Coordinates of all heavy atoms in Angstrom, one line a residue:
E1 N 0.9 -1.2 0.0 CA 0.0 0.0 0.0 C 0.9 1.3 0.0 O 1.8 1.4 0.8 CB -0.9 0.0 1.3 CG -2.0 1.1 1.2 CD -2.6 1.2 2.6 OE1 -2.4 0.4 3.4 OE2 -3.4 2.2 2.7
K2 N 0.6 2.1 -0.9 CA 1.5 3.3 -1.1 C 0.9 4.4 -0.2 O -0.3 4.8 -0.3 CB 1.4 3.8 -2.5 CG 1.7 2.7 -3.6 CD 3.2 2.5 -3.8 CE 3.4 1.6 -5.0 NZ 4.7 1.0 -5.0
E3 N 1.7 5.0 0.7 CA 1.2 6.0 1.6 C 1.8 7.4 1.3 O 1.4 8.4 1.9 CB 1.4 5.6 3.1 CG 0.5 4.5 3.5 CD 1.1 3.4 4.4 OE1 2.1 2.9 4.0 OE2 0.5 3.2 5.5
I4 N 2.8 7.4 0.5 CA 3.4 8.6 0.0 C 3.3 8.7 -1.5 O 3.4 7.7 -2.2 CB 4.9 8.6 0.5 CG1 5.0 8.4 2.0 CG2 5.6 9.9 0.0 CD1 6.4 8.4 2.5
F5 N 3.0 9.9 -1.9 CA 2.8 10.2 -3.4 C 3.8 11.3 -3.7 O 3.8 12.4 -3.0 CB 1.4 10.6 -3.7 CG 1.2 11.1 -5.1 CD1 1.1 10.3 -6.2 CD2 1.1 12.5 -5.3 CE1 1.0 10.8 -7.4 CE2 0.9 13.0 -6.6 CZ 0.9 12.1 -7.7
V6 N 4.6 11.1 -4.8 CA 5.5 12.2 -5.2 C 5.3 12.3 -6.7 O 5.7 11.4 -7.5 CB 7.0 11.9 -4.9 CG1 7.9 13.0 -5.4 CG2 7.2 11.6 -3.4
A7 N 4.7 13.4 -7.2 CA 4.7 13.8 -8.6 C 6.1 14.4 -8.8 O 6.5 15.4 -8.2 CB 3.6 14.8 -8.9
S8 N 6.8 13.9 -9.8 CA 8.2 14.2 -10.0 C 8.5 14.4 -11.5 O 7.6 14.2 -12.3 CB 9.1 13.0 -9.5 OG 10.4 13.2 -9.7
K9 N 9.7 14.9 -11.8 CA 10.2 14.9 -13.2 C 11.7 14.4 -13.1 O 12.4 14.8 -12.1 CB 10.2 16.3 -13.8 CG 8.7 16.8 -14.0 CD 8.6 18.0 -14.8 CE 7.1 18.4 -14.9 NZ 6.9 19.7 -15.6
T10 N 12.0 13.6 -14.0 CA 13.3 12.9 -13.9 C 14.5 13.8 -13.9 O 15.5 13.5 -13.3 CB 13.5 11.9 -15.1 OG1 13.3 12.6 -16.3 CG2 12.5 10.7 -15.0
Y11 N 14.4 15.0 -14.5 CA 15.5 16.0 -14.6 C 15.4 17.0 -13.5 O 16.3 17.9 -13.5 CB 15.5 16.6 -16.0 CG 14.2 17.3 -16.3 CD1 13.8 18.6 -15.7 CD2 13.2 16.8 -17.2 CE1 12.6 19.2 -16.0 CE2 12.0 17.4 -17.5 CZ 11.7 18.6 -16.9 OH 10.6 19.2 -17.2
C12 N 14.5 16.9 -12.6 CA 14.3 18.0 -11.6 C 15.2 17.8 -10.4 O 15.0 16.8 -9.6 CB 12.8 18.0 -11.2 SG 12.5 19.1 -9.8
P13 N 16.1 18.7 -10.1 CA 17.0 18.5 -8.9 C 16.3 18.5 -7.6 O 16.7 17.8 -6.7 CB 18.0 19.6 -9.0 CG 17.4 20.6 -9.9 CD 16.5 19.9 -10.9
Y14 N 15.2 19.3 -7.5 CA 14.4 19.3 -6.3 C 13.7 18.0 -6.0 O 13.6 17.6 -4.9 CB 13.4 20.5 -6.3 CG 14.1 21.8 -6.6 CD1 13.9 22.3 -7.9 CD2 14.8 22.5 -5.7 CE1 14.5 23.5 -8.3 CE2 15.4 23.7 -6.0 CZ 15.3 24.2 -7.3 OH 15.9 25.4 -7.6
C15 N 13.3 17.3 -7.1 CA 12.7 16.0 -7.0 C 13.8 15.0 -6.5 O 13.5 14.2 -5.7 CB 12.1 15.6 -8.3 SG 10.9 16.7 -8.9
H16 N 15.0 15.1 -7.1 CA 16.0 14.2 -6.7 C 16.3 14.4 -5.2 O 16.5 13.4 -4.5 CB 17.3 14.5 -7.5 CG 17.2 14.2 -9.0 ND1 18.1 14.6 -9.9 CD2 16.2 13.6 -9.7 CE1 17.7 14.2 -11.1 NE2 16.5 13.7 -11.0
A17 N 16.4 15.6 -4.7 CA 16.7 15.9 -3.3 C 15.6 15.3 -2.4 O 15.9 14.7 -1.4 CB 16.8 17.4 -3.1
A18 N 14.3 15.5 -2.8 CA 13.2 15.0 -2.0 C 13.2 13.4 -2.0 O 13.1 12.9 -0.9 CB 11.9 15.5 -2.6
L19 N 13.4 12.8 -3.1 CA 13.4 11.3 -3.2 C 14.6 10.8 -2.4 O 14.5 9.8 -1.7 CB 13.4 10.8 -4.6 CG 12.1 11.2 -5.4 CD1 12.2 10.9 -6.8 CD2 10.9 10.4 -4.7
N20 N 15.7 11.5 -2.5 CA 17.0 11.1 -1.8 C 16.7 11.2 -0.3 O 17.1 10.3 0.5 CB 18.1 12.0 -2.2 CG 19.4 11.6 -1.6 OD1 19.9 10.5 -1.8 ND2 20.0 12.5 -0.8
T21 N 16.0 12.2 0.2 CA 15.7 12.4 1.6 C 14.8 11.2 2.0 O 15.1 10.6 3.1 CB 15.0 13.7 1.8 OG1 16.0 14.7 1.6 CG2 14.5 13.8 3.3
L22 N 13.8 10.9 1.3 CA 12.9 9.8 1.7 C 13.6 8.5 1.7 O 13.5 7.7 2.7 CB 11.7 9.8 0.8 CG 10.7 11.0 0.9 CD1 9.7 10.9 -0.2 CD2 10.1 11.1 2.3
F23 N 14.2 8.1 0.6 CA 14.8 6.8 0.4 C 16.1 6.6 1.1 O 16.3 5.6 1.8 CB 14.9 6.4 -1.1 CG 13.6 6.3 -1.8 CD1 13.4 7.0 -3.0 CD2 12.5 5.6 -1.2 CE1 12.1 6.9 -3.7 CE2 11.3 5.5 -1.9 CZ 11.1 6.1 -3.1
Q24 N 17.1 7.5 0.9 CA 18.4 7.3 1.4 C 18.5 7.7 2.9 O 19.0 7.0 3.7 CB 19.4 8.1 0.6 CG 20.1 7.2 -0.5 CD 19.2 6.9 -1.6 OE1 18.7 7.8 -2.2 NE2 19.1 5.6 -1.9
K25 N 18.1 9.0 3.2 CA 18.3 9.5 4.5 C 17.3 8.9 5.5 O 17.7 8.6 6.7 CB 18.2 11.0 4.5 CG 19.2 11.7 3.6 CD 19.4 13.2 3.9 CE 20.6 13.7 3.1 NZ 20.2 14.9 2.3
L26 N 16.0 8.7 5.1 CA 15.0 8.3 6.1 C 14.6 6.8 5.9 O 13.8 6.3 6.7 CB 13.8 9.2 6.0 CG 14.1 10.7 6.3 CD1 12.9 11.6 6.1 CD2 14.5 10.8 7.8
N27 N 15.2 6.2 4.9 CA 15.0 4.7 4.7 C 13.6 4.3 4.5 O 13.1 3.3 5.0 CB 15.6 3.9 5.9 CG 17.1 3.9 5.7 OD1 17.7 3.5 4.7 ND2 17.8 4.3 6.8
V28 N 12.8 5.1 3.9 CA 11.4 4.8 3.6 C 11.5 3.7 2.5 O 12.2 3.9 1.5 CB 10.6 6.0 3.1 CG1 9.2 5.6 2.7 CG2 10.6 7.1 4.1
P29 N 10.8 2.5 2.7 CA 10.8 1.5 1.6 C 10.1 2.0 0.3 O 9.1 2.7 0.4 CB 9.9 0.4 2.3 CG 9.9 0.7 3.7 CD 10.0 2.2 3.9
K30 N 10.7 1.6 -0.8 CA 10.2 2.0 -2.1 C 8.7 1.6 -2.2 O 8.0 2.2 -2.9 CB 11.0 1.3 -3.2 CG 12.5 1.7 -3.2 CD 12.8 2.6 -4.3 CE 14.3 3.0 -4.2 NZ 14.8 4.0 -5.1
S31 N 8.4 0.4 -1.6 CA 7.0 -0.1 -1.7 C 6.0 0.9 -1.1 O 4.8 0.7 -1.4 CB 6.9 -1.4 -1.0 OG 7.2 -1.3 0.4
K32 N 6.4 1.8 -0.3 CA 5.5 2.8 0.4 C 5.2 4.0 -0.4 O 4.4 4.9 0.0 CB 6.0 3.2 1.8 CG 6.2 2.0 2.7 CD 4.9 1.5 3.2 CE 5.2 0.4 4.3 NZ 3.9 -0.1 4.8
V33 N 6.0 4.2 -1.5 CA 6.0 5.5 -2.2 C 5.6 5.3 -3.7 O 6.2 4.5 -4.4 CB 7.4 6.2 -2.1 CG1 7.3 7.6 -2.7 CG2 7.9 6.2 -0.7
L34 N 4.6 6.0 -4.1 CA 4.2 6.1 -5.5 C 4.9 7.3 -6.1 O 4.6 8.4 -5.7 CB 2.7 6.2 -5.6 CG 2.2 6.4 -7.1 CD1 2.5 5.2 -7.9 CD2 0.7 6.5 -7.0
V35 N 5.8 7.1 -7.0 CA 6.5 8.1 -7.7 C 6.0 8.2 -9.1 O 6.1 7.2 -9.9 CB 8.0 7.9 -7.7 CG1 8.7 9.1 -8.4 CG2 8.6 7.8 -6.3
L36 N 5.5 9.3 -9.6 CA 5.1 9.5 -11.0 C 6.1 10.4 -11.6 O 6.2 11.6 -11.2 CB 3.7 10.1 -11.1 CG 2.5 9.2 -10.6 CD1 1.2 9.9 -11.0 CD2 2.5 7.8 -11.1
Q37 N 6.8 9.9 -12.6 CA 7.7 10.8 -13.4 C 6.9 11.4 -14.5 O 6.7 10.9 -15.6 CB 8.9 10.0 -13.9 CG 9.7 9.4 -12.9 CD 10.5 10.3 -12.0 OE1 10.4 11.6 -12.1 NE2 11.3 9.8 -11.1
L38 N 6.3 12.6 -14.2 CA 5.3 13.3 -15.1 C 5.9 13.5 -16.5 O 5.1 13.4 -17.5 CB 4.8 14.6 -14.5 CG 4.1 14.5 -13.2 CD1 3.6 15.9 -12.8 CD2 3.0 13.5 -13.2
N39 N 7.2 13.8 -16.6 CA 7.7 14.1 -17.9 C 7.8 12.9 -18.8 O 8.1 13.0 -20.0 CB 9.1 14.8 -17.8 CG 10.1 13.9 -17.1 OD1 9.9 13.4 -16.0 ND2 11.2 13.6 -17.8
E40 N 7.7 11.7 -18.2 CA 7.7 10.5 -19.0 C 6.3 9.9 -19.3 O 6.2 8.8 -19.9 CB 8.5 9.4 -18.3 CG 10.0 9.7 -18.1 CD 10.8 8.6 -17.4 OE1 10.2 7.9 -16.6 OE2 12.0 8.5 -17.8
M41 N 5.3 10.6 -18.9 CA 3.9 10.1 -19.0 C 3.2 10.9 -20.0 O 3.3 12.1 -20.1 CB 3.2 10.2 -17.7 CG 3.9 9.4 -16.6 SD 3.1 9.7 -15.0 CE 1.5 9.0 -15.2
K42 N 2.4 10.2 -20.8 CA 1.6 10.8 -21.8 C 0.6 11.9 -21.2 O 0.4 12.9 -21.8 CB 0.7 9.7 -22.5 CG 0.0 10.1 -23.7 CD -0.6 8.9 -24.5 CE -1.7 8.2 -23.8 NZ -3.0 8.9 -23.7
D43 N 0.1 11.6 -20.1 CA -0.9 12.5 -19.4 C -0.2 13.3 -18.3 O -0.9 13.9 -17.5 CB -2.0 11.7 -18.8 CG -2.9 11.0 -19.9 OD1 -3.0 11.6 -21.0 OD2 -3.4 9.9 -19.6
G44 N 1.1 13.4 -18.3 CA 1.8 14.1 -17.3 C 1.4 15.6 -17.1 O 1.2 16.1 -16.0
V45 N 1.2 16.2 -18.2 CA 0.8 17.6 -18.2 C -0.6 17.8 -17.5 O -0.9 18.7 -16.8 CB 0.8 18.2 -19.6 CG1 0.1 19.6 -19.7 CG2 2.2 18.4 -20.1
D46 N -1.5 16.8 -17.8 CA -2.9 16.9 -17.3 C -2.8 16.6 -15.8 O -3.6 17.1 -15.0 CB -3.8 15.9 -18.0 CG -3.9 16.2 -19.5 OD1 -4.1 17.4 -19.8 OD2 -3.7 15.3 -20.3
I47 N -2.0 15.7 -15.4 CA -1.8 15.3 -14.0 C -1.3 16.5 -13.2 O -1.8 16.9 -12.1 CB -0.9 14.1 -13.8 CG1 -1.6 12.9 -14.3 CG2 -0.6 13.9 -12.3 CD1 -0.7 11.6 -14.4
Q48 N -0.3 17.2 -13.8 CA 0.2 18.4 -13.1 C -0.9 19.5 -13.0 O -1.0 20.2 -12.0 CB 1.4 18.9 -13.9 CG 2.3 19.9 -13.1 CD 3.6 20.2 -13.8 OE1 3.9 19.7 -14.9 NE2 4.4 21.1 -13.2
A49 N -1.7 19.6 -14.0 CA -2.8 20.6 -14.0 C -3.8 20.2 -12.9 O -4.3 21.1 -12.2 CB -3.5 20.7 -15.4
A50 N -4.1 18.9 -12.8 CA -5.1 18.5 -11.8 C -4.5 18.7 -10.4 O -5.3 19.1 -9.5 CB -5.4 17.0 -12.0
L51 N -3.2 18.5 -10.2 CA -2.6 18.7 -8.9 C -2.7 20.2 -8.6 O -3.0 20.5 -7.4 CB -1.1 18.3 -8.9 CG -0.9 16.8 -8.8 CD1 0.5 16.4 -9.1 CD2 -1.3 16.2 -7.5
Y52 N -2.5 21.0 -9.6 CA -2.6 22.5 -9.3 C -4.1 22.8 -8.9 O -4.2 23.7 -8.0 CB -2.2 23.3 -10.6 CG -2.4 24.8 -10.4 CD1 -1.7 25.4 -9.4 CD2 -3.3 25.5 -11.1 CE1 -1.8 26.8 -9.2 CE2 -3.4 26.8 -11.0 CZ -2.7 27.5 -10.0 OH -2.9 28.8 -9.8
Q53 N -5.1 22.2 -9.5 CA -6.4 22.5 -9.1 C -6.7 22.0 -7.7 O -7.4 22.6 -6.9 CB -7.4 21.7 -10.0 CG -7.5 22.2 -11.5 CD -7.9 23.7 -11.5 OE1 -8.8 24.1 -10.8 NE2 -7.2 24.5 -12.4
L54 N -6.0 20.9 -7.3 CA -6.3 20.3 -6.0 C -5.5 21.1 -4.8 O -6.1 21.3 -3.7 CB -5.8 18.9 -5.9 CG -6.6 17.9 -6.7 CD1 -5.9 16.5 -6.8 CD2 -8.0 17.7 -6.1
N55 N -4.3 21.5 -5.1 CA -3.5 22.0 -4.0 C -2.8 23.4 -4.3 O -2.0 23.9 -3.5 CB -2.5 21.0 -3.5 CG -1.5 20.5 -4.7 OD1 -1.1 21.4 -5.4 ND2 -1.2 19.3 -4.7
G56 N -3.1 23.9 -5.5 CA -2.5 25.3 -5.8 C -1.0 25.3 -6.1 O -0.5 26.4 -6.1
Q57 N -0.4 24.1 -6.2 CA 1.0 24.1 -6.5 C 1.3 23.7 -7.9 O 0.8 22.6 -8.3 CB 1.7 23.1 -5.5 CG 3.2 23.0 -5.6 CD 3.8 21.9 -4.8 OE1 3.3 21.5 -3.8 NE2 4.9 21.4 -5.3
R58 N 2.1 24.5 -8.6 CA 2.4 24.2 -10.0 C 3.6 23.4 -10.2 O 3.9 22.8 -11.3 CB 2.7 25.6 -10.7 CG 1.4 26.4 -11.0 CD 1.8 27.6 -11.8 NE 0.7 28.5 -11.9 CZ -0.4 28.4 -12.7 NH1 -0.4 27.4 -13.5 NH2 -1.3 29.3 -12.7
T59 N 4.5 23.4 -9.2 CA 5.9 22.8 -9.4 C 5.9 21.3 -8.9 O 5.1 20.9 -8.1 CB 6.9 23.6 -8.6 OG1 6.5 23.7 -7.3 CG2 7.1 25.0 -9.2
V60 N 7.0 20.7 -9.4 CA 7.3 19.3 -8.9 C 8.6 19.5 -8.1 O 9.4 20.4 -8.4 CB 7.5 18.3 -10.0 CG1 6.2 18.0 -10.6 CG2 8.5 18.8 -11.1
P61 N 8.9 18.7 -7.1 CA 8.0 17.6 -6.6 C 6.8 18.2 -5.9 O 6.8 19.2 -5.3 CB 8.9 16.9 -5.5 CG 9.8 18.0 -5.0 CD 10.1 18.9 -6.2
N62 N 5.7 17.4 -6.0 CA 4.4 17.7 -5.4 C 4.1 16.5 -4.5 O 3.8 15.4 -5.0 CB 3.4 17.9 -6.5 CG 2.1 18.7 -5.9 OD1 1.7 18.4 -4.8 ND2 1.6 19.6 -6.8
I63 N 4.2 16.7 -3.2 CA 4.3 15.6 -2.3 C 3.1 15.5 -1.4 O 2.6 16.5 -0.8 CB 5.6 15.7 -1.4 CG1 6.8 15.8 -2.3 CG2 5.7 14.5 -0.5 CD1 8.1 16.3 -1.5
Y64 N 2.6 14.3 -1.3 CA 1.5 13.9 -0.3 C 2.1 12.8 0.7 O 2.7 11.9 0.2 CB 0.3 13.4 -0.9 CG -0.6 14.5 -1.5 CD1 -0.4 15.0 -2.8 CD2 -1.7 15.0 -0.8 CE1 -1.2 16.0 -3.4 CE2 -2.6 15.9 -1.4 CZ -2.3 16.4 -2.7 OH -3.1 17.4 -3.2
I65 N 1.8 13.0 2.0 CA 2.0 11.9 2.9 C 0.7 11.6 3.7 O 0.2 12.5 4.3 CB 3.2 12.3 3.9 CG1 4.4 12.6 3.2 CG2 3.4 11.2 5.0 CD1 5.6 13.0 4.0
N66 N 0.3 10.3 3.6 CA -1.0 9.9 4.2 C -2.1 10.9 3.9 O -2.9 11.2 4.7 CB -0.8 9.9 5.7 CG 0.1 8.7 6.2 OD1 0.0 7.6 5.6 ND2 0.9 8.9 7.2
G67 N -2.2 11.2 2.6 CA -3.3 12.1 2.1 C -3.1 13.6 2.4 O -4.0 14.4 2.0
K68 N -2.1 13.9 3.2 CA -1.9 15.3 3.5 C -0.9 15.9 2.5 O 0.2 15.4 2.3 CB -1.3 15.4 5.0 CG -0.9 16.7 5.5 CD -0.2 16.5 6.8 CE 0.7 17.7 7.2 NZ -0.1 18.8 7.7
H69 N -1.3 17.1 2.0 CA -0.4 17.8 1.0 C 0.7 18.4 1.8 O 0.5 19.2 2.7 CB -1.2 18.8 0.2 CG -0.3 19.5 -0.8 ND1 -0.1 20.9 -0.8 CD2 0.4 19.0 -1.8 CE1 0.7 21.2 -1.8 NE2 1.0 20.1 -2.4
I70 N 1.9 18.0 1.4 CA 3.1 18.5 2.1 C 3.7 19.8 1.3 O 4.1 20.7 1.9 CB 4.2 17.4 2.1 CG1 3.7 16.2 2.8 CG2 5.5 18.0 2.6 CD1 3.4 16.5 4.3
G71 N 3.7 19.7 0.0 CA 4.3 20.8 -0.8 C 5.4 20.3 -1.6 O 5.4 19.1 -2.1
G72 N 6.5 21.1 -1.8 CA 7.6 20.7 -2.6 C 8.8 20.3 -1.7 O 8.6 20.0 -0.5
N73 N 10.0 20.3 -2.3 CA 11.2 19.8 -1.5 C 11.5 20.8 -0.4 O 11.9 20.3 0.7 CB 12.4 19.7 -2.5 CG 13.6 19.2 -1.7 OD1 13.6 18.2 -1.1 ND2 14.6 20.1 -1.7
D74 N 11.4 22.1 -0.6 CA 11.7 23.0 0.5 C 10.8 22.8 1.7 O 11.2 22.8 2.8 CB 11.7 24.5 0.0 CG 10.5 24.8 -0.9 OD1 9.5 23.9 -1.0 OD2 10.4 25.9 -1.4
D75 N 9.5 22.5 1.4 CA 8.6 22.2 2.5 C 8.9 20.9 3.2 O 8.9 20.8 4.4 CB 7.1 22.1 1.9 CG 6.7 23.3 1.2 OD1 6.6 24.4 1.9 OD2 6.5 23.3 0.0
L76 N 9.3 19.9 2.4 CA 9.7 18.6 3.0 C 10.9 18.8 3.9 O 11.0 18.3 5.0 CB 10.1 17.6 1.9 CG 10.4 16.2 2.3 CD1 9.1 15.4 2.6 CD2 11.1 15.4 1.2
Q77 N 11.9 19.5 3.4 CA 13.1 19.7 4.2 C 12.8 20.5 5.5 O 13.4 20.3 6.6 CB 14.2 20.5 3.4 CG 14.7 19.7 2.2 CD 15.1 18.3 2.4 OE1 15.6 17.9 3.5 NE2 15.0 17.4 1.4
E78 N 11.9 21.5 5.4 CA 11.5 22.3 6.6 C 10.9 21.4 7.6 O 11.2 21.4 8.8 CB 10.6 23.4 6.2 CG 10.5 24.5 7.1 CD 9.6 25.6 6.6 OE1 9.9 26.2 5.5 OE2 8.6 25.9 7.2
L79 N 10.0 20.5 7.2 CA 9.4 19.5 8.1 C 10.4 18.6 8.7 O 10.2 18.1 9.9 CB 8.3 18.7 7.3 CG 7.0 19.4 7.0 CD1 6.1 18.4 6.2 CD2 6.3 19.9 8.2
R80 N 11.4 18.3 7.9 CA 12.5 17.4 8.5 C 13.2 18.1 9.6 O 13.5 17.5 10.6 CB 13.4 17.0 7.4 CG 14.3 15.9 7.8 CD 15.2 15.4 6.7 NE 16.1 14.4 7.4 CZ 17.4 14.3 7.1 NH1 18.0 15.1 6.2 NH2 18.1 13.4 7.7
E81 N 13.5 19.4 9.4 CA 14.3 20.1 10.4 C 13.5 20.3 11.7 O 14.1 20.3 12.7 CB 14.7 21.5 9.8 CG 15.9 21.4 8.9 CD 16.1 22.5 7.9 OE1 15.6 23.6 8.2 OE2 16.6 22.3 6.8
T82 N 12.2 20.4 11.6 CA 11.4 20.6 12.8 C 11.0 19.3 13.5 O 10.5 19.2 14.6 CB 10.0 21.3 12.5 OG1 9.3 20.5 11.6 CG2 10.2 22.7 11.9
G83 N 11.4 18.1 12.8 CA 11.0 16.8 13.4 C 9.7 16.3 13.0 O 9.3 15.2 13.3
E84 N 8.9 17.2 12.3 CA 7.5 16.8 12.0 C 7.4 15.7 10.9 O 6.5 14.9 10.9 CB 6.7 18.0 11.5 CG 6.3 19.0 12.5 CD 5.7 20.3 11.9 OE1 4.6 20.3 11.5 OE2 6.5 21.3 11.8
L85 N 8.5 15.7 10.1 CA 8.5 14.7 9.0 C 8.6 13.3 9.6 O 7.8 12.4 9.2 CB 9.6 14.9 8.0 CG 9.7 14.0 6.9 CD1 8.4 14.0 6.1 CD2 10.9 14.3 6.0
E86 N 9.5 13.1 10.6 CA 9.7 11.8 11.2 C 8.4 11.4 11.9 O 8.0 10.2 11.8 CB 10.8 11.8 12.3 CG 12.2 11.6 11.7 CD 12.8 12.9 11.1 OE1 12.1 13.9 10.9 OE2 14.0 12.8 10.7
E87 N 7.6 12.3 12.5 CA 6.3 12.0 13.1 C 5.3 11.5 12.0 O 4.6 10.6 12.3 CB 5.8 13.3 13.8 CG 6.1 13.4 15.2 CD 5.7 14.7 15.8 OE1 4.5 15.1 15.6 OE2 6.5 15.3 16.5
L88 N 5.3 12.2 10.9 CA 4.4 11.8 9.8 C 4.7 10.5 9.3 O 3.8 9.7 8.9 CB 4.4 12.9 8.7 CG 3.8 14.2 8.9 CD1 4.1 15.2 7.8 CD2 2.3 14.1 9.1
L89 N 6.0 10.1 9.3 CA 6.5 8.9 8.7 C 6.3 7.7 9.7 O 6.3 6.6 9.2 CB 7.9 9.0 8.2 CG 8.2 9.9 7.1 CD1 9.7 10.0 6.8 CD2 7.4 9.5 5.8
E90 N 6.2 8.0 10.9 CA 6.2 6.9 12.0 C 5.2 5.8 11.7 O 5.6 4.7 11.6 CB 5.9 7.6 13.3 CG 6.9 7.1 14.4 CD 6.8 8.0 15.6 OE1 5.7 8.0 16.2 OE2 7.7 8.7 16.0
P91 N 3.9 6.2 11.4 CA 3.0 5.1 11.2 C 3.3 4.3 9.9 O 2.9 3.1 9.7 CB 1.6 5.8 11.0 CG 1.9 7.2 10.9 CD 3.3 7.5 11.5
I92 N 3.9 5.0 8.9 CA 4.3 4.3 7.7 C 5.4 3.3 7.9 O 5.4 2.2 7.4 CB 4.7 5.3 6.6 CG1 3.5 6.3 6.3 CG2 5.2 4.7 5.3 CD1 3.8 7.4 5.4
L93 N 6.4 3.8 8.7 CA 7.6 2.9 8.9 C 7.3 1.8 9.9 O 8.0 0.8 10.0 CB 8.8 3.8 9.4 CG 9.2 4.9 8.4 CD1 10.3 5.7 8.9 CD2 9.7 4.2 7.1
A94 N 6.2 2.0 10.7 CA 5.9 1.0 11.7 C 5.3 -0.3 11.2 O 5.3 -1.3 11.8 CB 4.9 1.6 12.7
N95 N 4.7 -0.2 10.0 CA 4.1 -1.4 9.4 C 4.6 -1.8 8.0 O 5.4 -1.2 7.5 CB 2.5 -1.3 9.4 CG 2.1 -0.2 8.4 OD1 2.7 0.8 8.3 ND2 1.0 -0.5 7.8
Ligands
GSH101 N1 10.8 25.4 -4.3 C1 10.4 24.3 -5.1 C2 10.7 23.0 -4.3 O1 11.6 23.0 -3.4 O2 10.1 21.9 -4.6 C3 11.1 24.3 -6.4 C4 10.6 23.3 -7.4 C5 10.8 23.6 -8.9 O3 11.2 24.8 -9.2 N2 10.6 22.7 -9.8 C6 10.7 22.9 -11.2 C7 9.3 23.0 -11.8 O4 8.4 22.3 -11.3 C8 11.4 21.7 -11.9 S1 13.1 21.6 -11.4 N3 9.1 23.8 -12.8 C9 7.8 23.9 -13.5 C10 7.5 22.7 -14.3 O5 8.3 21.8 -14.5 O6 6.3 22.6 -14.7

């Protein structure tokens, strides 16, 4: 079951940083994260437009954790610094 969603682009350094934080630094299993590489998808532009309608964010990475919109990489890193990210990830890493 995927509890984290990351709309990404393969060439986006902020996406690389966000995915590196999740997978390398925080050891989130790949099985818990749905990563869509929008630039490789036929409907990627439409998905990005739909995300903008949902959360007002135009850029990637566009991150959700347990259905909660987190924002981009800068938002993710800020949550990490305050310790809130570890809290959000706790139930995901526990099972
Ligand atoms: N402050 C944002 C973050 O930390 O996530 C920066 C994200 C950003 O600028 N992403 C670029 C983007 O989405 C790609 S590297 N550009 C518009 C687009 O690709 O449609």
Side-chain angles (χ1 to χ4, degrees):
E1 190 192 350
K2 313 274 190 198
E3 286 145 305
I4 302 176
F5 169 79
V6 182
S8 178
K9 293 188 183 178
T10 52
Y11 56 77
C12 170
Y14 307 101
C15 301
H16 297 171
L19 294 171
N20 184 60
T21 293
L22 292 173
F23 292 132
Q24 263 72 54
K25 299 197 170 126
L26 299 172
N27 285 309
V28 177
K30 299 254 175 187
S31 62
K32 301 287 187 178
V33 188
L34 175 61
V35 181
L36 296 188
Q37 299 292 4
L38 298 184
N39 61 303
E40 294 184 330
M41 298 172 67
K42 187 168 68 71
D43 294 328
V45 168
D46 299 312
I47 293 170
Q48 198 170 359
L51 284 168
Y52 178 62
Q53 292 301 319
L54 289 170
N55 59 41
Q57 184 189 328
R58 287 186 189 279
T59 55
V60 289
N62 197 320
I63 305 166
Y64 282 82
I65 299 178
N66 289 322
K68 177 186 158 76
H69 182 239
I70 300 300
N73 180 58
D74 44 8
D75 302 295
L76 186 77
Q77 299 306 331
E78 202 175 299
L79 287 179
R80 190 175 177 222
E81 279 157 30
T82 62
E84 284 171 81
L85 182 57
E86 277 81 351
E87 269 174 45
L88 287 171
L89 293 177
E90 232 166 62
I92 298 173
L93 298 176
N95 67 323

